[in-house]
Amino acid sequence: MANIHVVLLLSPLLALTFCCLTFAADPASLQDFCVADSNNQGFACLLIAVKMNGLACKNPAWVQANDFSFSGLHNPGNTGNPFGSAVTPVTVAQIPGLNTLGISMVRIDYAPWGVVAPHYHPRATEILTVIEGSLEVGFVTSNPDNRLISKTLQKGDVFVFPVGLVHFQRNIGHMNVVAISGLSSQNPGVSTIANVVFGSKPDISTDILAKAFQVDKNIVQQIQWRF
């Protein structure tokens, strides 16, 4: 009789576990599309508001062609900044129809000698193609090797930046450069190394950064003040 009680007690837990494993094992979309509904970013579960990994789906009956389109990628970005570059994103924020599809893209404009500073995408691999001009690109492998893998690209060349690795681009010519990148996430995210290390809020302790970079604390403070 005791065994029956144990089985009855565990049955709901086992069913819940099986249910969760079933969802976790099926990452593919289970419908034609899930257009992001920016007005409904969560759902109620047991009277508790739960944040979704992504955005809730708009009612398919309300979906329009505009949910899957974006205009303006032909327009150059404004490179009048200290980096001499501009990124025009086309993610789920611009095309709601990208929600759950795991893909996005950007246009990147570079003024002469402009750079996209070292950064990484925590959620995406990037594949870049040069539309106009010459571009120096590269990424650094993870510890302990920290190997720099770089190349100069010409018009029509393609280069891949693996997910999570620090990478950069630089226009090495005297003319403007245009590139298009595809990313393997609807929301790839970006962490620029200088901003992360020296521009955190609140600041990382100057003692920690001085030791990490083997420089005087005053130098660290001067850099932090710039952010």
Side-chain angles (χ1 to χ4, degrees):
M1 192 69 176
N3 290 338
I4 295 177
H5 289 159
V6 170
V7 170
L8 291 176
L9 179 63
L10 291 178
S11 292
L13 297 176
L14 292 172
L16 180 60
T17 301
F18 177 76
C19 177
C20 293
L21 289 174
T22 301
F23 280 111
D26 191 358
S29 179
L30 302 178
Q31 51 204 2
D32 287 342
F33 50 76
C34 173
V35 173
D37 183 357
S38 59
N39 296 318
N40 181 19
Q41 299 184 19
F43 62 91
C45 178
L46 301 178
L47 302 180
I48 300 175
V50 178
K51 184 70 175 178
M52 297 182 67
N53 184 22
L55 298 169
C57 303
K58 181 185 290 188
N59 186 328
W62 302 339
V63 169
Q64 304 293 329
N66 286 342
D67 292 317
F68 298 92
S69 67
F70 172 83
S71 298
L73 210 59
H74 63 291
N75 295 320
N78 181 8
T79 59
N81 56 67
F83 298 104
S85 65
V87 177
T88 304
V90 186
T91 68
V92 68
Q94 289 74 39
I95 301 182
L98 286 176
N99 193 37
T100 75
L101 298 185
I103 193 170
S104 60
M105 66 186 300
V106 298
R107 170 182 171 140
I108 315 170
D109 291 274
Y110 312 80
W113 300 102
V115 303
V116 170
H119 66 284
Y120 67 93
H121 303 290
R123 295 181 289 275
T125 291
E126 178 179 355
I127 182 167
L128 176 147
T129 183
V130 178
I131 305 301
E132 292 291 345
S134 300
L135 195 64
E136 178 187 2
V137 300
F139 65 85
V140 180
T141 63
S142 55
N143 296 353
D145 293 338
N146 300 130
R147 180 184 170 203
L148 172 63
I149 298 176
S150 63
K151 184 178 177 67
T152 298
L153 306 181
Q154 307 297 333
K155 180 178 179 178
D157 289 348
V158 176
F159 197 81
V160 173
F161 304 107
V163 59
L165 295 187
V166 174
H167 58 280
F168 62 88
Q169 301 112 38
R170 178 174 67 155
N171 180 353
I172 57 173
H174 299 284
M175 301 179 63
N176 293 334
V177 171
V178 180
I180 295 289
S181 282
L183 299 116
S184 60
S185 171
Q186 69 183 47
N187 182 24
V190 60
S191 293
T192 304
I193 304 306
N195 296 66
V196 169
V197 174
F198 296 105
S200 66
K201 297 178 177 57
D203 290 339
I204 298 174
S205 168
T206 54
D207 292 332
I208 294 173
L209 294 182
K211 275 196 174 183
F213 290 96
Q214 293 295 289
V215 297
D216 188 86
K217 289 194 294 185
N218 291 329
I219 295 176
V220 172
Q221 289 177 335
Q222 290 175 13
I223 297 174
Q224 287 178 323
W225 290 339
R226 296 179 67 89
F227 289 87

